[in-house]
Amino acid sequence: MLKTFENRDGWIWYDGKIVEWNNAKTHVIGQGLHYASAVFEGERAYNGKIFKSEEHTKRLFKSAETIGIKIPYTQDEINKAKNELITKMDYKECYVRPFAWRGGKLMGLSTTNSDVHVSIAVWDDWSTYYKIEDMKHGLTLITSPWKRPSPESIPFEAKASGPYLICTLSKSFAEEKGYNEALMLDYRGYIAEATSSNIFLIKDKEIHTPIPDCFLNGITRQTVIEMVKEQGFNLIERYIQPNELKNFEEVFLTGTAAEITPVKSIDNLNFRTGDNTTTFQFMKDYKKIVTGAN
Ligand code: PMP
């Protein structure tokens, strides 16, 4: 039988217990499913150890709090559960997906007495992500017509399921047109991010990146900022207009799954990629950090 994300061998941590992967089910009626009343994390383990596990758990709890979900576990319990699951699944390298959602005790938009569930799943196939060749040779991006909204419209710091509709729409727009990924602008028209990663632009020893005031300030983004500053690059966080893209030589994306991924083109503009680029050096340096070789 086809191995899908709903049908495979393995285990899932579900409301405090480890259950068989194929038994980790929920009802079709529920606020999480119907109203995207949910928050999640995306983490990655290297050599059996999750990179910045505690930071991710902290963000999960902050996201939940932001949308009014009270997770019925401590951060410590979630940290332990993630490790327990990775050990049980016997993974060294894997993706980690904690998820908290409102259940089906009540329906409708009132959340006052909702029930909350929590799950953690881990997997080691990256089939739903970019192809390895694309990641190596650089992605093709197209500007999405869908914009990151103002902070008055959505709590942008929360990694909440609801706002991901903007990312889903943008990603589909890009793929339907034959591109790998979408560049999202914000409600003011400035460059914001890609659908599951942040963006950096390189010109000589200057690295420019947008101010995360209406999109996720990724954990990878923060790691990379620290890394390039330590290497003596001039890191500039500022508002960036799309018509400035032509002034840059290299572009790359950052994210837990994307790590550092080079960008080959955005719309009809091309950027440098390959072994002789600063991005390539950063990719190697980042790998050293996450694998603990640094
Ligand atoms: N922006 C969006 C919309 C994302 O989904 C992600 C991935 N979590 C990121 C940025 C990068 O965040 P991180 O580096 O924490 O994975």
Side-chain angles (χ1 to χ4, degrees):
M1 212 194 305
L2 184 69
K3 182 177 143 190
T4 65
F5 274 89
E6 292 176 327
N7 177 40
R8 54 180 62 194
D9 292 331
W11 306 93
I12 284 180
W13 187 94
Y14 194 166
D15 285 343
K17 294 192 200 78
I18 290 192
V19 302
E20 274 187 39
W21 186 289
N22 287 357
N23 289 338
K25 294 196 170 139
T26 184
H27 202 273
V28 291
I29 305 298
Q31 294 183 313
L33 189 59
H34 288 244
Y35 308 121
S37 219
V39 293
F40 65 98
E41 264 309 311
E43 318 179 20
R44 193 160 173 162
Y46 299 87
N47 305 325
K49 187 172 180 297
I50 301 171
F51 180 64
K52 299 204 170 172
S53 177
E54 284 169 18
E55 277 97 326
H56 280 284
T57 300
K58 215 174 272 170
R59 186 168 73 181
L60 179 74
F61 277 68
K62 183 86 193 130
S63 298
E65 188 191 324
T66 305
I67 72 158
I69 286 183
K70 183 154 182 1
I71 295 180
Y73 301 96
T74 63
Q75 296 198 23
D76 239 19
E77 284 170 319
I78 297 299
N79 287 329
K80 285 201 183 98
K82 290 189 286 191
N83 291 333
E84 194 188 344
L85 193 63
I86 289 174
T87 306
K88 187 150 173 89
M89 294 288 278
D90 200 21
Y91 282 145
K92 292 280 170 270
E93 317 283 318
C94 64
Y95 183 80
V96 183
R97 170 55 60 84
F99 185 52
W101 73 101
R102 289 192 170 102
K105 184 177 136 200
L106 299 171
M107 218 20 197
L109 296 181
S110 168
T111 59
T112 313
N113 293 307
S114 302
D115 55 326
V116 172
H117 300 277
V118 183
S119 67
I120 305 168
V122 299
W123 57 80
D124 75 341
D125 73 70
W126 306 89
S127 55
T128 51
Y129 216 67
Y130 306 122
K131 291 193 190 74
I132 297 288
E133 314 89 79
D134 291 333
M135 286 178 86
K136 215 163 103 200
H137 300 300
L139 303 179
T140 56
L141 269 60
I142 182 170
T143 304
S144 169
W146 302 100
K147 307 275 195 297
R148 300 298 322 175
S150 137
E152 293 175 332
S153 302
I154 204 108
F156 68 93
E157 322 89 321
K159 198 163 163 58
S161 298
Y164 271 85
L165 180 57
I166 304 163
C167 304
T168 311
L169 286 164
S170 298
K171 183 84 177 173
S172 306
F173 172 82
E175 288 187 344
E176 276 163 19
K177 293 202 156 20
Y179 293 78
N180 301 122
E181 181 52 74
L183 171 68
M184 293 188 289
L185 307 181
D186 72 17
Y187 63 104
R188 297 160 295 201
Y190 295 127
I191 290 171
E193 59 171 350
T195 64
S196 57
S197 47
N198 294 118
I199 190 164
F200 288 79
L201 314 163
I202 308 181
K203 185 167 52 177
D204 303 322
K205 286 291 262 183
E206 283 184 4
I207 319 282
H208 297 232
T209 193
I211 299 166
D213 64 359
C214 63
F215 59 87
L216 202 69
N217 181 5
I219 289 173
T220 318
R221 177 184 184 276
Q222 295 169 50
T223 307
V224 167
I225 286 179
E226 215 176 288
M227 181 184 90
V228 303
K229 277 185 180 171
E230 266 173 25
Q231 293 186 7
F233 285 89
N234 185 12
L235 190 281
I236 302 160
E237 279 185 277
R238 64 175 181 89
Y239 296 117
I240 305 169
Q241 299 277 6
N243 65 13
E244 295 182 58
L245 281 172
K246 60 180 179 314
N247 305 330
F248 291 93
E249 291 143 13
E250 295 176 39
V251 177
F252 65 87
L253 305 179
T254 65
T256 296
E259 301 184 311
I260 291 180
T261 298
V263 171
K264 190 162 67 176
S265 66
I266 302 177
D267 301 326
N268 53 10
L269 284 172
N270 293 313
F271 301 98
R272 287 186 61 223
T273 57
D275 297 2
N276 287 324
T277 57
T278 305
T279 303
F280 187 72
Q281 190 56 46
F282 288 164
M283 289 161 79
K284 291 196 289 187
D285 297 338
Y286 178 78
K287 206 66 170 182
K288 279 189 210 150
I289 294 173
V290 290
T291 55
N294 213 358

